[in-house]
Amino acid sequence: MIRVEQIRKHYDDQIVLQEIDFQVEHGLCLGIIGPNGSGKSTLLHLISGVEPITSGDIFIRNEPIRQYTRKELSQQLAVLQQEGLPPLGYTVREVLEMGRFPFQNWMGKDRMDASELIEGIAEQLHLSTLLDRKLDELSGGQRQRVALGKVMVQQPEILLLDEPTTYLDIRYQLQFMDYVRKWQRECGLTIIAVLHDLNLAAQYCDQLLVLHEGKQVAIGTPNDIIEQERVTQVFGTEPIIIKHPVNGAPQILLQPQEQGIE
Amino acid sequence: MKRTLLLWGGGGVLLLLFTVCVCAMIGSVQIPLLQVPAIVLHQIPWLQDVFPKTWPNSYEQILLKVRIPRVVVGLLVGACLSLSGAAFQGILRNPLADPYTLGVSSGASVGAAFIIYFGLQYSIVGQWSVPLVAFVTGILTLWLVIRLAQEDGKIPTERLILSGVVMQAFLGAFVSLLISLSDKTINEIMFWLMGSLSMRGWSYAGVLSPYLIIGFVIVMGYSRSLNIMALGERQAAHLGMNVERTKMIVLMTATLMTAAAVSVSGVIGFVGLIVPHLIRLLVGPDYRIIVPLSALGGGIYMVIADTLARSVLAPTEIPLGVVTAFIGAPFFAYLLHRNKKTRRSRS
């Protein structure tokens, strides 16, 4: 479980985030949505501990994260960024092994023999045949799967996703989110995901948090959150909202203005 | 990973021993190749009977007092420079980084040029005056560069590189000024700047080796961190690495090694830039392999370059920095070309 209590973030005298207060129960997926510049990524950086919080606290297992060392935090929490992995000359196996870094001592010795874990995860993600290929020989979609594999090898309790599907086509977007959901269900993973695609967010998240100009506007189930008035107010566009014919999740149809921009 | 390391490492050690023997053989007095290892092994008490003395005394004198110490100092300097080159390239994630990027060599040069200009090179602590002053000014320069680059307790890589470049330019101008002001001592400053291993005896090897050994252990310990660093600083932090601390420790270690090497041999360019790249082209991007092989490769490369420097135009010695660049650049170009070809044929 993760709890965010009244956090604020300033850069010099500019306020980027304020009055953020929520919690995510074990095994659930919280989606953070909001327009560009609303502070979504900053919030994720605060939770992942790479940026200091100005005031307020974030608790993981009832311990404020500033009490954790960098290494301890990484044993609990993994992050997958939108740009994924750079095209380097490492093999897929070597990159997956990097996921064990938080569990290795300075000699590089792991707490457990990770080879079985790595091969199991590679099989789940259909990467087994690619294990000895180099990262720079893979496609973007395959590379993002390797990035997912690397955080799975980390065996975290909490996963932070920062627009992980941005550079993927629709097939890989769905495939990626399906892998994540399967992992969530099997391991009771808690997820906080910044997603800019509202339809994807409504399909895969149990709860949605809306950020607007650095403030928390609303939090609730996708059905409560994705509604005409709120989307219009926060995103400044008037969409058509319908129910998904199969699973009932709210989905947004985009509607261009007939006369163009005035 | 272990297999690659054993294979290349084993081959490297054999090449190293062979190179040492060949390079110790060459000189104004030629010593037969097989007698070189025999003379060395003869010095070990319980091997004296296995390698009975069949050579004139003069060979032993030349080898043990002149050539072997010079070869050993060459090995140490080369290893220090290319090891810290690998560390710099890894931590700064910049292929153009080398041990001199942060201005250590320029700082050391100013100190050395200053001492030589005022004719103080044998005054303070005898033959150690230039090395000592060069070492201190080199480290001081790094401290200044880091202070200049620091921003809210962090050291952004771009700022660090820029600060280093600015400092190099400034201190370089200072050295040029000293050179232009001095007329009779011009050659001595210039010669120090271009690097040389002549007249470096066992004591220099003794001074350098602790830096190499301790530096090697530390950089090796951080080799996995350098791998992770290649994914980007943020991802490295997400994987549990204390990025700022790692940067500081690796940069300090590499700088101390560089300063020690430069103060002993002068500024020998190219080794620290090219050897790690060469190793990377041969064995791939894993720093757990690059780090030890860079040390090995740097040593071999330096000994070969130094042998050429002292023998090609004998009795004149060519500045070592000139030789390292002369043989290094074409070889590197060849490897780059070959690498391009294999890449094409693969895809």
Side-chain angles (χ1 to χ4, degrees):
Chain A
M1 190 200 72
I2 181 161
R3 194 166 82 242
V4 171
E5 262 184 26
Q6 285 298 331
I7 55 173
R8 267 165 102 76
K9 173 71 181 170
H10 299 197
Y11 285 118
D12 297 324
D13 37 342
Q14 186 199 352
I15 297 171
V16 214
L17 281 175
Q18 55 184 326
E19 294 162 36
I20 310 291
D21 199 291
F22 63 89
Q23 65 178 36
V24 191
E25 298 298 332
H26 178 83
L28 293 185
C29 174
L30 173 80
I32 302 175
I33 58 174
N36 291 340
S38 56
K40 292 172 297 193
S41 291
T42 309
L43 179 53
L44 225 52
H45 292 326
L46 297 184
I47 300 172
S48 68
V50 294
E51 294 260 0
I53 310 165
T54 310
S55 71
D57 256 323
I58 296 169
F59 296 85
I60 291 174
R61 292 180 155 189
N62 290 319
E63 283 279 335
I65 58 166
R66 55 191 158 72
Q67 305 272 8
Y68 289 86
T69 64
R70 187 60 255 174
K71 205 168 171 176
E72 286 167 350
L73 195 57
S74 301
Q75 291 169 356
Q76 306 275 332
L77 177 148
V79 187
L80 212 158
Q81 294 171 296
Q82 70 175 300
E83 61 271 21
L85 298 164
L88 298 166
Y90 296 110
T91 63
V92 171
R93 189 190 299 275
E94 283 167 343
V95 174
L96 294 181
E97 276 170 8
M98 289 179 186
R100 296 302 299 169
F101 189 81
F103 302 95
Q104 291 166 341
N105 67 10
W106 69 278
M107 292 277 287
K109 184 141 178 48
D110 202 326
R111 282 183 192 170
M112 56 178 251
D113 180 14
S115 53
E116 227 168 273
L117 173 73
I118 288 172
E119 288 186 2
I121 285 169
E123 203 175 309
Q124 275 182 50
L125 297 176
H126 301 106
L127 289 170
S128 297
T129 53
L130 300 177
L131 273 175
D132 293 311
R133 292 276 292 279
K134 289 180 181 160
L135 221 48
D136 55 8
E137 300 168 4
L138 304 184
S139 72
Q142 288 170 327
R143 257 205 321 267
Q144 196 62 341
R145 231 153 66 214
V146 178
L148 177 62
K150 191 191 70 169
V151 291
M152 287 175 79
V153 170
Q154 218 175 321
Q155 293 187 305
E157 307 212 339
I158 298 161
L159 174 67
L160 306 184
L161 298 171
D162 190 358
E163 305 195 2
T165 58
T166 308
Y167 298 119
L168 303 179
D169 64 30
I170 47 170
R171 175 179 150 223
Y172 279 128
Q173 283 188 14
L174 286 178
Q175 190 196 45
F176 182 90
M177 292 308 292
D178 286 336
Y179 280 131
V180 172
R181 179 185 267 177
K182 182 160 171 266
W183 179 24
Q184 179 197 4
R185 299 219 165 124
E186 282 170 6
C187 302
L189 186 71
T190 309
I191 301 176
I192 298 180
V194 168
L195 292 168
H196 69 176
D197 185 330
L198 298 183
N199 290 339
L200 220 53
Q203 295 272 9
Y204 286 95
C205 299
D206 303 299
Q207 278 192 308
L208 292 178
L209 171 82
V210 188
L211 283 185
H212 186 43
E213 292 172 349
K215 282 187 190 147
Q216 175 175 337
V217 177
I219 183 166
T221 63
N223 271 319
D224 296 337
I225 294 294
I226 307 280
E227 47 142 26
Q228 192 76 38
E229 202 179 324
R230 184 171 292 119
V231 174
T232 308
Q233 181 213 337
V234 171
F235 288 89
T237 182
E238 284 184 38
I240 297 167
I241 296 172
I242 58 165
K243 293 263 177 231
H244 192 284
V246 179
N247 57 25
Q251 296 287 291
I252 288 175
L253 298 181
L254 299 177
Q255 192 185 12
Q257 291 191 352
E258 300 263 328
Q259 58 275 55
I261 290 171
E262 287 141 33
Chain B
M1 195 282 281
K2 283 202 178 114
R3 224 180 113 247
T4 325
L5 186 57
L6 279 178
L7 222 64
W8 282 97
V13 170
L14 288 182
L15 183 64
L16 176 82
L17 292 176
F18 180 71
T19 311
V20 167
C21 289
V22 171
C23 290
M25 169 188 102
I26 296 169
S28 53
V29 178
Q30 289 269 355
I31 297 169
L33 180 60
L34 287 176
Q35 284 193 1
V36 174
I39 292 174
V40 173
L41 291 172
H42 179 76
Q43 306 307 314
I44 303 168
W46 56 88
L47 285 178
Q48 253 168 16
D49 303 332
V50 190
F51 299 96
K53 189 165 174 176
T54 55
W55 48 80
N57 245 335
S58 61
Y59 281 15
E60 212 170 297
Q61 292 294 318
I62 291 171
L63 212 54
L64 297 175
K65 294 247 162 74
V66 183
R67 289 197 196 152
I68 297 277
R70 183 167 174 161
V71 163
V72 171
V73 173
L75 281 179
L76 294 172
V77 167
C80 277
L81 288 178
S82 65
L83 183 59
S84 53
F88 271 103
Q89 285 166 11
I91 212 77
L92 299 177
R93 294 190 299 128
N94 188 317
L96 287 178
D98 77 352
Y100 306 148
T101 306
L102 298 187
V104 181
S105 59
S106 313
S109 303
V110 168
F114 198 76
I115 290 285
I116 298 171
Y117 178 77
F118 287 106
L120 300 170
Q121 56 265 59
Y122 302 106
S123 62
I124 314 170
V125 273
Q127 59 165 346
W128 297 104
S129 302
V130 174
L132 181 72
V133 171
F135 185 81
V136 172
T137 49
I139 299 293
L140 266 177
T141 310
L142 175 81
W143 181 75
L144 274 174
V145 167
I146 288 181
R147 284 297 298 270
L148 196 62
Q150 228 159 18
E151 195 179 34
D152 321 324
K154 286 188 177 178
I155 316 171
T157 306
E158 304 78 28
R159 277 181 70 107
L160 194 61
I161 293 176
L162 284 177
S163 309
V165 169
V166 165
M167 197 59 93
Q168 274 187 56
F170 177 71
L171 295 176
F174 197 74
V175 172
S176 301
L177 178 70
L178 282 177
I179 292 175
S180 66
L181 285 180
S182 65
D183 35 7
K184 59 174 191 286
T185 48
I186 181 162
N187 280 325
E188 209 175 332
I189 297 180
M190 288 292 278
F191 212 80
W192 190 87
L193 286 180
M194 288 186 290
S196 165
L197 292 176
S198 72
M199 312 293 289
R200 306 297 196 271
W202 283 113
S203 50
Y204 287 85
V207 168
L208 256 183
S209 45
Y211 285 93
L212 179 63
I213 293 166
I214 295 171
F216 178 77
V217 170
I218 295 178
V219 177
M220 204 53 211
Y222 277 97
S223 58
R224 282 171 317 114
S225 301
L226 293 177
N227 282 344
I228 305 266
M229 197 74 172
L231 302 178
E233 286 188 15
R234 194 144 256 166
Q235 292 214 38
H238 290 154
L239 280 172
M241 184 173 127
N242 191 330
V243 175
E244 293 305 319
R245 196 180 66 194
T246 303
K247 261 201 235 174
M248 207 61 178
I249 292 175
V250 174
L251 286 178
M252 284 293 189
T253 309
T255 299
L256 282 173
M257 276 191 290
T258 307
V262 168
S263 61
V264 162
S265 66
V267 183
I268 301 169
F270 219 66
V271 182
L273 175 69
I274 236 62
V275 173
H277 274 303
L278 231 143
I279 301 291
R280 200 186 327 255
L281 284 175
L282 291 172
V283 302
D286 191 341
Y287 277 95
R288 289 171 299 180
I289 303 174
I290 291 178
V291 168
L293 289 187
S294 286
L296 210 54
I300 295 172
Y301 188 69
M302 186 64 88
V303 171
I304 294 176
D306 181 50
T307 306
L308 291 174
R310 68 184 164 83
S311 59
V312 170
L313 296 180
T316 311
E317 282 207 14
I318 310 169
L320 198 41
V322 173
V323 182
T324 51
F326 251 139
I327 56 173
F331 185 53
F332 186 71
Y334 160 75
L335 269 184
L336 211 57
H337 178 71
R338 201 199 63 169
N339 195 261
K340 187 172 67 186
K341 263 206 221 147
T342 51
R343 232 171 233 264
R344 280 223 189 102
S345 64
R346 227 193 289 133
S347 54

